[in-house]
Amino acid sequence: MEHVAWGIIGPGTIAERFATELHASRTGRLTAVASRDASRAEEFGERFGDGTAPVRGYGSVAELLADPDVDAVYIATPHTEHVRLVIEAAEAGKHIVSEKPLSVNRAGAMLAIEAARRAGVYLAEAFMYRFHPQTAKLVELVSSGAIGDVQHIEASFAFAADLPADHRLMNPELAGGGILDVGGYPVSISRLIAGAAVGAPFADPTEVTGNGTIGSTGVDEWASASLVFPSGITAHVTSGVRLQDDNRVVVTGSTGQIIVSDPWLPSVEDGSTIEVRTISGTESIHIPGAPQYAIQADAVATFADAGQAPQMRWADSLGNLATLDRWREAIGLEYPFESIDTDIPTGSGRPLAVRAGLPMPTGRIAGIDHDISRLIMGVDNQQTLSHASAMFDDFFERGGNAFDTAWLYGDGLQEQLLGRWLANRGLRDDVVVIGKGAHTPFCDPESISRQLFESLDRLGTDHLDLYLMHRDNVEVPVGEFVDVLNEHAEAGRIRAFGGSNWTIDRFEEANAYAAANGKRGFAALSNHFGLARALDVPWAGCVEVTDPTSRAWLEETKTPLLPWSSQARGFFTGRAEPEDLSDPDLVRCYYSDDNFERLARARQLGSELGVAPTAIALAYVLAQDFPTFALIGPRSIEETCSSTDALSLKLTPEQVAWLDLRV
């Protein structure tokens, strides 16, 4: 892009800085402004337009986004509005620079980034200092070993402000406080330096501990955190809105220090200085003044086709917010709208709807009067309602309507999160809920009843669509399990039932008992199955059906299979290499010459079809000659994307056999 027509959403103080420096941009000019008050938008445009053409003032965001002359938007509203506005702007086809933080938590940032990816537009979190030549010089010094091996980083951004209780920075409903307003800067630069020290764009800490002062209004007024990175580099960061700090960055290495006295807002007119102190002396490096907001704006023109700039990658924003989440958790700061008892809205603010044109296949299981998506979302690793809501919303919009959880997962938290999401979205009748119980050592008829009632209470529902015994107990006659499951089915508490980690022999015995006694039998099996042949199982009591005999039985009986670990615990992600023995469970369960040949063939076919090997492995599961409903356990929307890539693949019987080394 040679020219970018900008619209500003939210004409406040930060927007004034952007608009002022936009005059220095090579590519951008201010075209439109949106505010709830149209007269304020018009006045802002009059003050900051370049005089070549009138700046249009709009009284709503919708009007600005509908303006065909606007190419890109700068979002400068309070934190809590960023995700919704990013989604709206992306859907309008506008490139986006959003004030930091991109979201109040990592969950919302996933939704914002997915909207940009889907729309094919540029999105950057507005850490303008990342675009300044001073930051580039700092990275160069660290990468070149100017102070030897980096050992520790000190970074701060805090100010003392006399703010009224109703100011946005004091308001927990607006995600106020120092960590989100300015704490992202020292965390961001620490991650940047820790990455540069090992030749990476950034690094994420393995440990985050923190302390802070939460004031009377419920926001953090002062906070500090200690970070430890995989390389062993440590960092100490501070932020605040009630106390002033020196607001500088000090990088300590094995042979010296780098001191950046003005890392965030260096003077445009006078420039800034980086000081390098070593045993040889002190060197002061002058950085000429540069309009970092204008450089940030010009990056849109340069990287519009890529969707993101190397100075501020999407993965970088996600990692930064993950660290801020951990920092807030460390000091006990949860905003009221993040509580598990809260009705968290969708990222867009609109009711959920399945997006058109997505290839989600469905199937049926006897006893369940509902089409079931062939991908089933595992509800076993979500830690907060924000995270769960983002993941579940995205999955539902892709056409996914089946969710698998268990009484044991998260000591009940996972069922609570799913239940709260169902209530918030009003979707109980539109989705299939799969619950599990009978976990070792509580695998007996009495435990099934107790756990089922607890699960229904946590989920806030009167029934499960499919109930699976998560383990078998061969010391209990199979008829006793069939009897208690029929009791709950007749009472309407479960629609259908089956076994997870049951042998085929016991599964058949259960159904033979049911047939002989006029009762319902098992409708589905959930064992390990996938492209990688299982040499062992990850956990005691698990059962796999990857062997030829089990496959033949499944093909003959057409028993619906809900395979868990269908992508072999990361075997197809690139983690598995013959010489890499760092994951003993992966080695024990999957390392064999045949499985590495399957991996090689998945990579080859994936290269030919333009998808990752993980998508090939999942497509293999879905292409069987018996009904399969693959369980997936993504922790991010990006991981969900990689799984849904498999849905567009229709492997031929010949490809399936070739992948499995049968030809």
Side-chain angles (χ1 to χ4, degrees):
M1 299 175 67
E2 294 183 4
H3 304 286
V4 180
W6 284 89
I8 288 177
I9 300 173
T13 302
I14 196 72
E16 291 181 358
R17 291 178 182 170
F18 177 80
T20 298
E21 289 196 13
L22 194 59
H23 294 297
S25 167
R26 295 180 293 99
T27 61
R29 66 179 179 84
L30 183 60
T31 298
V33 181
S35 171
R36 292 186 180 91
D37 182 346
S39 62
R40 184 184 178 201
E42 292 169 357
E43 187 273 335
F44 188 98
E46 290 174 0
R47 281 196 293 140
F48 294 102
D50 62 9
T52 60
V55 176
R56 294 185 282 279
Y58 293 115
S60 71
V61 172
E63 290 176 281
L64 184 146
L65 295 179
D67 187 335
D69 293 334
V70 173
D71 301 312
V73 296
Y74 187 87
I75 297 172
T77 60
H79 311 332
T80 49
E81 298 180 17
H82 292 173
V83 172
R84 175 181 59 82
L85 292 173
V86 166
I87 293 173
E88 290 179 6
E91 292 176 346
K94 311 300 185 186
H95 300 298
I96 306 153
V97 174
S98 173
E99 260 308 313
K100 80 297 292 180
L102 181 57
S103 167
V104 299
N105 50 43
R106 181 178 182 274
M110 289 194 302
L111 293 171
I113 289 168
E114 171 58 18
R117 185 201 63 78
R118 193 166 60 244
V121 299
Y122 177 96
L123 171 64
E125 188 176 19
F127 278 111
M128 69 292 174
Y129 86 90
R130 284 292 193 91
F131 296 82
H132 196 286
Q134 175 177 256
T135 305
K137 185 62 178 179
L138 172 61
V139 168
E140 177 190 323
L141 290 168
V142 169
S143 301
S144 66
I147 55 169
D149 297 328
V150 173
Q151 298 176 342
H152 183 67
I153 305 157
E154 293 276 344
S156 60
F157 196 170
F159 55 89
D162 184 13
L163 301 171
D166 60 352
H167 189 278
R168 71 168 182 86
L169 287 177
M170 294 290 102
N171 188 347
E173 294 290 352
L174 295 178
I179 290 177
L180 287 192
D181 194 62
V182 291
Y185 286 88
V187 168
S188 171
I189 205 164
S190 296
R191 293 174 56 256
L192 179 70
I193 294 166
V198 295
F202 54 84
D204 290 318
T206 53
E207 298 178 31
V208 178
T209 56
N211 291 284
T213 300
I214 299 176
S216 60
T217 66
V219 304
D220 59 298
E221 297 182 353
W222 171 263
S224 65
S226 295
L227 316 179
V228 179
F229 293 93
S231 60
I233 294 171
T234 59
H236 183 258
V237 298
T238 57
S239 72
V241 295
R242 290 292 201 191
L243 290 172
Q244 182 69 41
D245 207 340
D246 54 14
N247 297 341
R248 65 176 188 163
V249 173
V250 179
V251 186
T252 300
S254 57
T255 61
Q257 282 188 326
I258 299 172
I259 300 171
V260 185
S261 299
D262 199 355
W264 319 126
L265 294 166
S267 171
V268 176
E269 294 78 19
D270 301 329
S272 55
T273 300
I274 296 178
E275 195 173 273
V276 181
R277 299 176 180 174
T278 67
I279 195 170
S280 301
T282 298
E283 178 186 8
S284 294
I285 303 171
H286 178 69
I287 309 296
Q292 57 188 0
Y293 287 93
I295 300 171
Q296 177 181 242
D298 285 334
V300 175
T302 304
F303 299 106
D305 289 343
Q308 52 188 318
Q311 296 95 329
M312 200 64 246
R313 304 167 192 261
W314 296 346
D316 200 351
S317 290
L318 289 169
N320 214 56
L321 278 162
T323 304
L324 297 184
D325 285 348
R326 295 171 69 184
W327 189 359
R328 286 199 294 123
E329 182 182 12
I331 69 169
L333 177 59
E334 178 183 71
Y335 295 116
F337 53 79
E338 295 177 303
S339 166
I340 194 172
D341 299 319
T342 303
D343 184 357
I344 292 180
T346 62
S348 66
R350 303 186 300 263
L352 289 182
V354 177
R355 298 196 292 269
L358 297 180
M360 178 66 74
T362 60
R364 287 278 183 141
I365 294 176
I368 302 174
D369 187 23
H370 206 301
D371 289 336
I372 306 169
S373 59
R374 297 277 307 284
L375 291 187
I376 298 174
M377 171 67 74
V379 184
D380 62 349
N381 56 47
Q382 297 78 28
Q383 299 303 312
T384 66
L385 184 58
S386 297
H387 182 211
S389 297
M391 295 298 297
F392 300 164
D393 285 354
D394 175 75
F395 182 64
F396 185 86
E397 289 185 331
R398 294 173 188 272
N401 69 349
F403 298 84
D404 170 89
T405 189
W407 173 85
L408 187 69
Y409 292 167
D411 291 327
L413 174 63
Q414 307 305 318
E415 289 181 328
Q416 290 178 284
L417 292 174
L418 178 59
R420 186 67 206 184
W421 177 77
L422 290 171
N424 287 348
R425 302 292 181 260
L427 291 175
R428 180 62 189 92
D429 294 335
D430 300 298
V431 303
V432 172
V433 178
I434 302 165
K436 297 191 293 291
H439 309 271
T440 304
F442 307 110
C443 189
D444 55 72
E446 293 76 18
S447 293
I448 287 175
S449 296
R450 174 177 57 83
Q451 293 173 3
L452 175 59
F453 283 119
E454 289 184 20
S455 291
L456 293 174
D457 182 63
R458 292 167 180 166
L459 288 161
T461 184
D462 62 356
H463 74 281
L464 296 175
D465 297 284
L466 178 63
Y467 179 87
L468 298 172
M469 288 185 59
H470 205 19
R471 291 288 192 275
D472 188 12
N473 183 353
V474 296
E475 296 181 2
V476 176
V478 73
E480 294 184 23
F481 287 135
V482 174
D483 288 345
V484 72
L485 292 170
N486 270 265
E487 173 190 328
H488 291 298
E490 290 166 6
R493 299 183 193 102
I494 55 180
R495 298 289 188 258
F497 54 83
S500 174
N501 298 302
W502 274 53
T503 65
I504 289 174
D505 287 345
R506 281 277 284 186
F507 189 93
E508 287 188 320
E509 184 182 349
N511 281 353
Y513 173 88
N517 291 276
K519 297 179 180 289
R520 300 189 199 186
F522 281 24
L525 180 66
S526 181
N527 287 358
H528 171 39
F529 178 83
L531 176 56
R533 186 76 55 83
L535 311 175
D536 198 356
V537 289
W539 304 284
C542 292
V543 177
E544 56 86 15
V545 286
T546 59
D547 60 285
T549 301
S550 297
R551 178 201 303 279
W553 179 84
L554 289 164
E555 291 175 348
E556 178 184 352
T557 63
K558 304 300 181 187
T559 298
L561 180 69
L562 282 62
W564 52 263
S565 199
S566 55
Q567 293 167 306
R569 294 173 60 82
F571 186 81
F572 294 94
T573 63
R575 290 176 52 208
E577 297 294 344
E579 65 279 4
D580 184 353
L581 307 179
S582 60
D583 187 333
D585 287 334
L586 199 66
V587 173
R588 174 174 57 85
C589 295
Y590 300 110
Y591 272 37
S592 71
D593 291 342
D594 281 352
N595 278 341
F596 278 112
E597 175 60 23
R598 292 183 176 97
L599 173 58
R601 294 187 181 193
R603 286 171 170 165
Q604 178 183 330
L605 186 57
S607 177
E608 293 171 3
L609 299 178
V611 298
T614 51
I616 296 294
L618 191 56
Y620 168 86
V621 171
L622 298 176
Q624 297 303 308
D625 289 333
F626 51 88
T628 55
F629 300 82
L631 304 178
I632 60 173
R635 289 172 169 76
S636 67
I637 289 176
E638 183 180 13
E639 290 181 1
T640 302
C641 286
S642 69
S643 292
T644 53
D645 284 346
L647 300 178
S648 61
L649 305 178
K650 303 297 180 186
L651 300 183
T652 66
E654 293 76 18
Q655 288 172 324
V656 170
W658 177 75
L659 285 167
D660 194 32
L661 313 186
R662 284 179 273 154
V663 293

